[in-house]
Amino acid sequence: MNKNNIQFPTGKPHVSFSEVSIWKTCSWKHKLTYIDKVAPFETSVHLEYGTIMHDALEHFLEHKELKINEVKQRLTQKWLECQFDLEDNIRERHIIAEQQGWKYRHNYLDEWLQWSETALLGISGFMNKNYPEWEFVSAEEELYESIDDEMSFKGFIDGIIKYKKGKKDKYVIIDWKTAGPRGWDRDKKTDIKTTAQLMLYKYYWGAKNNISYRDIACNFVLIRRGIKTPEKVCQIVEVSAGDKSMMKANKLVKNMINTVKKGMFLKNRNSCKFCPFLNTEHCK
C-alpha cells in the first residue's frame, strides 16, 4: 500500500514520539496541536537553552571538542532576540504561570551562561567515567521505520556511542535532557510517557542495524541547571528496555494510531498545568 495515499487525521503517514507523548497526556491537546493545527507556538528560555545545548553536545560527541564560547554567544544572541529579560515579558510570564496554576521563577541571562559553561566543562569527564574508551557512532540519527502497512515511526536519536564492556561492544542510545538541579523525580523516571521514547529508539535502531537488543543500553543524560561543580552536572537515568517493555511501547503507539483514526479525543483535566490551551477558546 502506498503510504502517500493514507489519510491519517494529522495528514502525515508517520508519528513521532513527541506526538504520541502529547496524545498520552491529553488526546484533546493532541487534536488541537496535530489535527486542528491551532497550537500557539511560543518559544521559551528552556526551549532555546535546550536546543543550543543539544547542538553543543552533538558536536562534542562527534568531535570531542567543546565550543563553550560559541554556546555563550548563541545564548546571548537568542536572549536579546527574544527579549527574555525584558521586564514586561517577565511580568507576562508570571501572569501566564499563575493562570496555569504554577509559580514562575525568572533566571537572567548571566545564570544561563554560567550553567552552560559548567555543564560543558563537566561533560568530557562524565563520558569517560561512565563509558570508558567510548567511541562515536552517530548523532541526530534519523529513524523512519514502518509500523504497519500505513504508518511509520519517525524520530531522531540524540546520540549513539559504543564502548567495551568486557570483551563485547556495548552500544548506548543517549538522549540529552536539560533539567532543574534536582533532576527528575521517581515518577518521571518510570513514566511510560518518558521511557517509551528510548524503548522505541532501541527497538527500531537495533532492528535497522541488525544489532542484538542485549547489546544496546538506553540512557537519558540529564544536564542539570544550577549545579556549581562541573563533575556533578550530568546524571544518568537508565531505562530498562527488555522485550516486554519494547512491546509495551509499541502497543502504546498502535493504540494512539487506532484511537486517533476513530476520532476519539478526550480532555484530561489532570494535565492542564503548563498547557498553552488552558482557559482559551479551545479549552475551557
Side-chain angles (χ1 to χ4, degrees):
M1 186 177 295
N2 186 351
K3 293 186 179 183
N4 292 327
N5 296 327
I6 300 302
Q7 291 300 312
F8 191 59
T10 63
K12 301 178 297 183
H14 61 260
V15 294
S16 65
F17 177 74
S18 59
E19 182 178 351
V20 174
S21 180
I22 288 176
W23 170 83
K24 180 66 173 174
T25 300
C26 177
S27 58
W28 183 254
K29 181 179 180 180
H30 173 268
K31 174 182 180 295
L32 293 175
T33 304
Y34 290 94
I35 299 175
D36 299 341
K37 296 178 172 56
V38 296
F41 175 77
E42 181 179 329
T43 192
S44 69
V45 291
H46 296 96
L47 176 62
E48 298 297 345
Y49 179 77
T51 299
I52 292 170
M53 289 298 290
H54 268 74
D55 290 347
L57 293 166
E58 176 185 340
H59 180 85
F60 170 76
L61 280 188
E62 188 168 359
H63 303 286
K64 296 192 177 182
E65 177 189 16
L66 298 173
K67 289 196 169 185
I68 295 175
N69 289 335
E70 181 179 307
V71 166
K72 295 170 82 169
Q73 289 170 3
R74 288 184 62 190
L75 286 170
T76 300
Q77 180 180 351
K78 184 58 68 173
W79 253 243
L80 293 174
E81 177 187 323
C82 297
Q83 298 184 316
F84 287 138
D85 288 346
L86 189 70
E87 291 304 318
D88 286 348
N89 290 337
I90 296 172
R91 280 193 292 270
E92 183 179 357
R93 291 308 309 163
H94 279 289
I95 293 171
I96 292 173
E98 185 176 351
Q99 291 173 343
Q100 295 176 346
W102 58 283
K103 188 174 182 179
Y104 176 73
R105 181 184 183 277
H106 188 75
N107 299 104
Y108 287 90
L109 173 60
D110 287 348
E111 295 175 274
W112 295 93
L113 295 177
Q114 184 59 61
W115 294 340
S116 67
E117 180 174 349
T118 304
L120 292 174
L121 287 174
I123 191 64
S124 181
F126 166 82
M127 293 294 296
N128 293 334
K129 177 182 178 181
N130 290 280
Y131 313 109
E133 299 182 13
W134 63 276
E135 298 177 23
F136 171 77
V137 176
S138 69
E140 279 299 300
E141 181 171 338
E142 181 176 12
L143 294 173
Y144 200 91
E145 310 301 318
S146 292
I147 297 171
D148 55 30
D149 290 339
E150 297 183 0
M151 299 294 291
S152 293
F153 176 81
K154 181 177 181 178
F156 291 88
I157 301 176
D158 283 351
I160 303 171
I161 62 168
K162 68 176 180 179
Y163 70 104
K164 288 291 184 182
K165 192 170 184 179
K167 296 182 178 181
K168 298 190 67 176
D169 285 335
K170 187 75 171 182
Y171 293 86
V172 185
I173 293 175
I174 292 176
D175 193 84
W176 311 106
K177 299 291 187 187
T178 56
R182 295 183 180 181
W184 291 351
D185 61 25
R186 180 176 296 181
D187 288 344
K188 185 170 180 64
K189 289 178 181 178
T190 57
D191 189 342
I192 188 68
K193 296 191 298 295
T194 301
T195 58
Q197 178 183 6
L198 294 191
M199 295 173 186
L200 291 165
Y201 286 176
K202 174 177 176 176
Y203 176 81
Y204 286 112
W205 188 79
K208 174 184 175 182
N209 293 280
N210 195 31
I211 295 174
S212 171
Y213 292 133
R214 289 177 297 179
D215 297 327
I216 304 172
C218 298
N219 288 173
F220 287 111
V221 177
L222 306 187
I223 310 298
R224 296 184 295 163
R225 303 181 299 274
I227 304 297
K228 297 181 179 180
T229 306
E231 293 78 15
K232 296 181 179 180
V233 170
C234 298
Q235 186 178 75
I236 292 177
V237 176
E238 296 182 2
V239 175
S240 177
D243 291 342
K244 289 184 179 180
S245 297
M246 289 189 290
M247 286 177 60
K248 184 177 180 180
N250 277 292
K251 183 178 180 180
L252 173 66
V253 175
K254 291 177 181 179
N255 286 344
M256 176 265 183
I257 291 171
N258 291 333
T259 303
V260 171
K261 281 182 178 180
K262 293 176 182 178
M264 298 171 60
F265 306 106
L266 302 176
K267 296 179 181 179
N268 180 6
R269 293 297 186 184
N270 294 320
S271 66
C272 295
K273 191 175 182 179
F274 306 119
C275 181
F277 298 113
L278 181 64
N279 297 323
T280 68
E281 61 181 315
H282 306 293
C283 190
K284 296 182 178 179

